[in-house]
Amino acid sequence: MELNKRAIAERFSQLTWDKRSAFLETLRQQNIDFAQLPIVPRSEREHCALSYAQWRQWFLWHLDPDSGGYHITGAMRLKGALDRTALHDSFKALVSRHEALRTIFRDDGPSGVVQVVRSESDFAFQQLDLSGVAAGEREAAAKEAASRLCDMPFDLWCGPLLRVGLLCMAKDEHLLVVVMHHIVSDGWSVRLIVDEFTAEYRARVMGESRHAAALPIQYADYALWQRYWMEAGEKERQLAYWQTVLGNEHPVLQLPTDYGRRRQGSNRAAHHAVSLPESLVQGLRNMMQEQGATLFMILLAGFQALLYRYTNQEDIRVGVPIANRHRAETAGVVGFFVNTQVLRNRVEGRATLGEVLERAKHAAVEAQDYQDLPFEQLVERLQPERHLDHHPLFQVMFNHQRHDTGGLRQLPALEVEEYSLGARVTLFELTLDTMEREDGGVEATFTYAAELFETATIERLASRYVRLLEALVESPEQALDDVVLLADDERRQLKNWEMTARRYSDVEPLPRQIERWVTTTPEATAVVCGAERLSFA
């Protein structure tokens, strides 16, 4: 049966576009689910259409080609005897193995924008010797050079879309900087690249031969299959679900900010990280067992509860990236597979923390059967009102990951340290990344728009997130509105503000004055904001 399925898939891939609709209809009549057909390599003569996610990336890049908002960046410090030739050749082998890393994009006229896979395994490789810079200035020079590498715009028309920088700090110390455009990569791909680079470098340095198993498909093959599958009816099935879940109204989350919002697509990113207390992490793991929930679900529920307390909005929607790698053929392929789901939670103040968790759990579990619909298709169908100062359908992100750097420890004669590239740009007002560390601990990192929030504001927000998680673990039967979020010192400060030395017994309180003005002068102007005026009535 599997052989027949593959034969059907190969036959379909060889058809011209005008004959595929009829073929899909024939499959439906015979009750053959297109999703059960394997993904097969595309015909060499066929143009490589963009995936839905790639098309949106191309569109956004075309609007602002100088933006670094969709650059994937990473860096590491290498201490020891580095073999530069082996490093360069290892990246070249990666580019040769994964077509996405040597892909550019062209306007093909009738076919529109298409992927063009180059035959050469080229990538941008830059070396910079900083060993001659004064010791006290070297780190600053390295940080500046790394920032230039990360912020330098990519040209999607000409490529290459992989940039590797090697900064020599000293004879036995280097800084490796890797930058890719999101249109050809994602977070899962980064892990693949790290693992394969480690294996390639180790084999070259140790003089060993390495024969990696051939990839069953390349990213462009998946892009075509995805379009076929969506056309086969899957798009309408999944759209129907998300339309029902999200409805016709798409409220914008109104987080209180320290500064006014600006009409632009990205902001300077700043970060604040907190490690969850060990006792809390243990409590969260116990709750996982008791509630049949994952750590992701519990941390998401806590975040949604926090957003309610900050906004008093009951319709809380959070964007959540998903790997979208549940097909066996895609597991080892570098490319832009990641998708985004909008997880909605109806949060009322009198709901218990346990109820908030149960709703988050239900939404996450149910969404798994509808995770393939490209976010771009959802936006196109729902058509939320577009604004330059916020993202469509959701304004905050939540991402949960497990940290694993085990492969990097296998680089021979090298000690590897992670290197922070510092603040870059963020496309969202607020993003929460939670990380399960290898030692069992959990870290929560809040990335926020520096133009909107003060550092102290996010520090308080992070501490209140921890308090909500503690309340969720200790008393899930407690109502959300009853959870005390203020720290002891904040409560003392409020109490001090309440204390005044003078008393004014003959002064009418302001709320009473407003009530009187509403009665006596209802049409008088009470509030002015720009061109908008509100009367007392």
Side-chain angles (χ1 to χ4, degrees):
M1 185 64 181
E2 290 300 321
L3 181 62
N4 290 339
K5 288 181 179 179
R6 185 167 188 85
I8 293 172
E10 290 175 344
R11 170 62 179 151
F12 180 83
S13 70
Q14 294 169 3
L15 295 175
T16 56
W17 279 97
D18 58 331
K19 295 181 179 179
R20 284 178 178 150
S21 296
F23 194 92
L24 289 173
E25 181 59 33
T26 301
L27 292 182
R28 281 192 290 269
Q29 292 175 1
Q30 298 180 11
N31 294 319
I32 299 176
D33 184 358
F34 187 85
Q36 301 303 314
L37 301 181
I39 304 175
V40 297
R42 66 194 182 283
S43 170
E44 290 298 329
R45 60 180 170 76
E46 187 169 23
H47 291 301
C48 307
L50 277 62
S51 68
Y52 294 105
Q54 279 186 321
W55 192 92
R56 185 166 184 266
Q57 280 287 306
W58 177 86
F59 175 77
L60 293 171
W61 172 82
H62 198 67
L63 288 178
D64 186 6
D66 293 330
S67 172
Y70 291 99
H71 291 188
I72 297 177
T73 62
M76 62 186 73
R77 193 186 299 271
L78 307 174
K79 294 183 177 180
L82 176 67
D83 187 328
R84 298 190 187 192
T85 301
L87 182 142
H88 176 273
D89 291 348
S90 296
F91 275 105
K92 187 173 182 179
L94 279 169
V95 176
S96 177
R97 177 172 169 79
H98 295 280
E99 287 184 357
L101 296 179
R102 46 191 166 92
T103 294
I104 58 174
F105 300 84
R106 296 275 173 83
D107 190 339
D108 197 41
S111 300
V113 180
V114 296
Q115 301 183 62
V116 177
V117 180
R118 286 178 162 175
S119 57
E120 317 88 50
S121 301
D122 66 327
F123 62 101
F125 185 64
Q126 301 180 27
Q127 298 188 69
L128 181 61
D129 188 355
L130 299 176
S131 60
V133 178
E137 303 173 1
R138 199 173 301 156
E139 284 296 330
K143 180 74 72 174
E144 182 181 350
S147 295
R148 284 199 304 270
L149 285 167
C150 294
D151 296 337
M152 189 185 308
F154 283 105
D155 186 341
L156 302 193
W157 296 122
C158 302
L161 303 183
L162 166 65
R163 182 184 304 137
V164 178
L166 185 63
L167 312 181
C168 178
M169 309 290 287
K171 181 179 179 181
D172 59 351
E173 182 178 345
H174 294 78
L175 188 63
L176 178 65
V177 182
V178 180
V179 191
M180 297 174 284
H181 197 282
H182 203 351
I183 199 169
V184 296
S185 186
D186 57 17
W188 184 294
S189 298
V190 171
R191 292 195 292 272
L192 289 175
I193 289 171
V194 168
D195 290 344
E196 292 191 17
F197 165 77
T198 300
E200 290 286 347
Y201 181 87
R202 181 179 180 83
R204 283 171 168 76
V205 171
M206 303 298 290
E208 301 170 351
S209 59
R210 180 174 185 267
H211 301 288
L215 293 172
I217 62 167
Q218 293 286 346
Y219 181 78
D221 304 324
Y222 163 79
L224 287 173
W225 176 88
Q226 181 195 45
R227 287 186 173 274
Y228 302 154
W229 184 33
M230 289 294 133
E231 290 172 8
E234 188 62 17
K235 179 172 73 173
E236 292 305 320
R237 184 185 79 87
Q238 297 200 24
L239 273 173
Y241 167 80
W242 288 110
Q243 281 187 287
T244 301
V245 168
L246 299 179
N248 297 319
E249 299 294 327
H250 309 291
V252 175
L253 191 70
Q254 297 292 338
L255 280 171
T257 62
D258 296 309
Y259 305 102
R261 291 175 173 85
R262 304 181 304 170
R263 295 180 63 81
Q264 63 178 44
S266 62
N267 292 282
R268 182 170 53 87
H271 310 278
H272 175 69
V274 294
S275 292
L276 302 189
E278 290 185 18
S279 58
L280 173 57
V281 174
Q282 186 56 52
L284 292 172
R285 297 196 186 282
N286 292 339
M287 175 167 271
M288 291 167 56
Q289 300 294 326
E290 296 167 0
Q291 302 295 328
T294 63
L295 187 56
F296 159 80
M297 296 171 186
I298 299 174
L299 295 173
L300 171 63
F303 189 42
Q304 291 172 326
L306 178 74
L307 295 173
Y308 161 78
R309 286 293 298 264
Y310 263 73
T311 64
N312 206 35
Q313 292 176 250
E314 296 183 347
D315 192 345
I316 301 297
R317 305 178 183 208
V318 176
V320 176
I322 56 171
N324 200 23
R325 300 268 189 159
H326 54 284
R327 298 279 309 200
E329 303 97 321
T330 65
V333 180
V334 169
F336 186 17
F337 292 90
V338 69
N339 196 16
T340 303
Q341 290 183 331
V342 185
L343 295 188
R344 182 186 190 187
N345 199 335
R346 298 290 300 185
V347 184
E348 301 92 17
R350 301 317 301 168
T352 68
L353 295 171
E355 289 172 338
V356 175
L357 170 58
E358 189 59 33
R359 292 169 189 169
K361 172 185 168 183
H362 174 77
V365 170
E366 194 175 69
Q368 293 310 300
D369 290 333
Y370 305 91
Q371 63 177 287
D372 303 281
L373 180 74
F375 178 74
E376 298 71 27
Q377 295 287 297
L378 182 61
V379 173
E380 183 178 318
R381 176 62 64 90
L382 297 182
Q383 294 187 338
E385 188 175 354
R386 295 300 192 109
H387 294 279
L388 293 177
D389 61 352
H390 66 253
H391 192 271
L393 298 184
F394 63 88
Q395 289 72 54
V396 298
M397 287 281 288
F398 173 73
N399 189 24
H400 181 71
Q401 301 180 56
R402 291 181 176 85
H403 192 241
D404 181 14
T405 58
L408 293 174
R409 299 194 192 101
Q410 300 175 17
L411 290 175
L414 288 173
E415 178 185 339
V416 181
E417 298 176 1
E418 291 189 50
Y419 181 87
S420 174
L421 291 168
R424 310 236 60 81
V425 297
T426 179
L427 302 171
F428 302 97
E429 295 184 2
L430 183 67
T431 298
L432 171 59
D433 290 283
T434 54
M435 179 73 71
E436 294 184 61
R437 299 194 305 259
E438 293 169 288
D439 62 4
V442 177
E443 188 169 279
T445 300
F446 291 85
T447 300
Y448 59 97
E451 288 85 354
L452 298 180
F453 300 100
E454 292 280 0
T455 301
T457 299
I458 301 301
E459 289 174 351
R460 288 192 297 270
L461 181 142
S463 68
R464 290 164 187 172
Y465 176 61
V466 174
R467 286 179 176 275
L468 270 171
L469 291 177
E470 290 172 338
L472 178 59
V473 168
E474 295 167 4
S475 52
E477 72 286 350
Q478 185 178 16
L480 175 55
D481 273 348
D482 292 341
V483 179
V484 177
L485 296 184
L486 295 180
D488 292 340
D489 60 332
E490 291 176 314
R491 288 199 294 271
R492 284 193 297 270
Q493 185 179 42
L494 283 177
K495 190 172 183 62
N496 290 336
W497 286 343
E498 293 173 0
M499 303 301 293
T500 57
R502 299 180 63 181
R503 295 290 185 268
Y504 301 89
S505 58
D506 59 339
V507 175
E508 184 182 18
L510 184 59
R512 297 287 183 270
Q513 295 183 47
I514 294 176
E515 290 176 353
R516 178 163 48 79
W517 293 331
V518 169
T519 302
T520 59
T521 57
E523 299 307 318
T525 299
V527 180
V528 177
C529 180
E532 187 175 4
R533 294 173 178 268
L534 298 179
S535 68
F536 280 101

